[in-house]
Amino acid sequence: MVSLEEELELSMTYENFEDVPARKAASRRSVEDFNVPAAAPGMKMYRLVVVSFGLLCILQAALNISLRLTLYLEAGCNNLTEERDDLKRTLENYVSQQNSLTEERDEMKRINLDLEAGRNLLTEENHGLKRTLEEYAHYLQQGWVYFSGSFYRISSTMKPWQDSRRDCQQRGADLMIINSQEEQDFSRQYKNIIWIGLMDRDTEGEWTWVDGTQLTTSFWHSGEPNNYDKRNEDCVNINHHDHTNSWNDAPCENEYFWICEKKM
Ligand code: MMA
Ligand code: CA
C-alpha cells in the first residue's frame, strides 16, 4: 500500500521528467483530494472490521465443519461399536453352539460304542444260543431224555464200568453224576442194574465222581458199600430201584447197563 506522503513525493519526482504545468495542476488536484483527514481512520476501521468479520466467518465455518465432522465420526464410531458387539455376540453364540454340538457328537459316539458293544454281546449270545439249541435238537433226536438241565440216556447193552464210561464219552457225555434227591429219584425209574459215574479205584474208600469231585450226598443201600466177600468192589451201580437208597458197590469188570448224562 502506498501512503499519502509517498504518493506526494512520487508526484513531485514525476515533475522533473514530464510536462511541468500539467504536473503542477495534477499535484494541486492531489493535494486537494487528500485534504480530508477525517476519512482515513474510518476507512481503516472499516477494513479492519470487514477483515475481522471475514475471519470470524471463516472460523465459524471451520468450527461448524469440525463439529459436524466430529458428530458424524462419533455416530459412525458408535455404529461400528454396535456392529462389533453384535458380531461378538453372534460369534459367541456360534462358539457355544459348536461346543454343545461337539459335546452332543461325543455323547453320540459313546452311545454308539455302547450300542456296538451291546450288539457284539448279543451276537455272541445269539451264536451261543444257536449252538445250545442245535445241541438240544441233536440229543433229543438221538432219543435222550431231558431232566433238570441235563440229557440222560440208558444203554441197550451191558458192559464193564470202564467200557460204559467210554461209550458215554464218545457221545459227548459221561456216566451219570447224582447231586440231589431229585436226580436220585429220577435215576430209580430204570429197572435194570445200571452203572453210574462213581468209584474208589484210585484210593480205596475214597468215593469220587467222574468229574473229579468227592462224594458228599450219598444214597447207599443199607450195608453198602461192603466190598462183598472181600471182593474188590470199586464201581457203583443203582441196584435197589424200590428204595430211595439204591446204590451198591460192585466189581468194575462186571457187565451191567449204564446211564450217561450230558449237562447242558
Ligand atoms: C451181591 C452184590 C454185592 C452186594 C450184595 C448184597 C451177593 O452179592 O451185589 O455187591 O453187596 O449182593 O447182598
Ligand atoms: Ca457191594
Side-chain angles (χ1 to χ4, degrees):
M1 204 183 280
V2 182
S3 69
L4 285 175
E5 288 81 1
E6 280 171 333
E7 207 165 308
L8 278 174
E9 218 173 297
L10 275 174
S11 311
M12 284 158 76
T13 316
Y14 286 139
E15 267 177 43
N16 301 326
F17 305 101
E18 291 172 23
D19 167 39
V20 174
R23 280 283 116 204
K24 274 185 180 166
S27 129
R28 256 195 321 271
R29 231 181 10 254
S30 298
V31 171
E32 276 162 17
D33 283 349
F34 293 112
N35 203 15
V36 272
M43 191 66 173
K44 258 187 180 178
M45 187 61 81
Y46 173 73
R47 279 182 183 169
L48 196 68
V49 166
V50 167
V51 167
S52 302
F53 185 71
L55 281 173
L56 270 175
C57 280
I58 289 166
L59 196 67
Q60 177 72 49
L63 267 174
N64 276 355
I65 288 167
S66 77
L67 204 67
R68 273 178 196 284
L69 205 64
T70 307
L71 285 173
Y72 176 77
L73 285 176
E74 208 174 78
C77 200
N78 284 345
N79 269 351
L80 281 175
T81 306
E82 263 174 45
E83 230 168 277
R84 186 202 59 194
D85 290 348
D86 260 8
L87 283 172
K88 237 185 193 175
R89 274 192 292 278
T90 311
L91 186 68
E92 277 166 11
N93 278 347
Y94 276 136
V95 167
S96 83
Q97 225 170 318
Q98 202 203 13
N99 283 347
S100 73
L101 279 174
T102 305
E103 264 175 41
E104 228 170 277
R105 186 204 58 193
D106 291 348
E107 178 68 14
M108 292 294 217
K109 262 186 188 170
R110 277 193 291 278
I111 291 173
N112 193 32
L113 282 176
D114 283 354
L115 285 173
E116 234 168 71
R119 192 195 57 190
N120 287 345
L121 272 179
L122 283 173
T123 307
E124 263 175 47
E125 210 177 304
N126 186 29
H127 288 155
L129 284 170
K130 242 183 197 165
R131 277 193 297 274
T132 308
L133 196 66
E134 280 164 9
E135 239 178 3
Y136 271 74
H138 167 79
Y139 284 106
L140 283 172
Q141 271 169 8
Q142 300 290 313
W144 292 54
V145 173
Y146 184 80
F147 173 77
S148 187
S150 290
F151 277 107
Y152 298 92
R153 178 183 182 276
I154 294 285
S155 70
S156 54
T157 59
M158 297 194 291
K159 282 181 191 286
W161 188 91
Q162 192 59 57
D163 293 347
S164 304
R165 184 176 185 203
R166 197 170 301 123
D167 172 79
C168 292
Q169 287 173 328
Q170 282 166 357
R171 296 172 193 274
D174 210 332
L175 284 168
M176 182 181 187
I177 295 169
I178 298 171
N179 302 115
S180 66
Q181 182 69 58
E182 290 71 34
E183 220 178 349
Q184 168 64 10
D185 291 342
F186 172 81
S187 73
R188 286 167 52 221
Q189 68 181 293
Y190 303 105
K191 302 306 175 192
N192 295 311
I193 299 174
I194 52 175
W195 287 125
I196 59 170
L198 185 63
M199 51 83 175
D200 71 341
R201 285 202 307 190
D202 300 337
T203 311
E204 183 58 38
E206 201 173 278
W207 296 98
T208 309
W209 290 109
V210 286
D211 67 354
T213 56
Q214 296 293 301
L215 176 66
T216 47
T217 311
S218 62
F219 299 95
W220 295 113
H221 189 63
S222 67
E224 309 295 344
N226 59 1
N227 278 329
Y228 186 79
D229 206 16
K230 295 197 175 116
R231 284 184 303 197
N232 201 23
E233 295 187 321
D234 285 346
C235 292
V236 179
N237 59 38
I238 292 165
N239 197 332
H240 307 275
H241 307 92
D242 42 352
H243 292 81
T244 295
N245 293 328
S246 59
W247 300 356
N248 174 42
D249 61 336
C252 298
E253 313 79 62
N254 287 7
E255 293 188 354
Y256 298 112
F257 293 98
W258 67 94
I259 182 167
C260 300
E261 177 181 5
K262 168 69 184 174
K263 271 203 177 302
M264 297 304 286

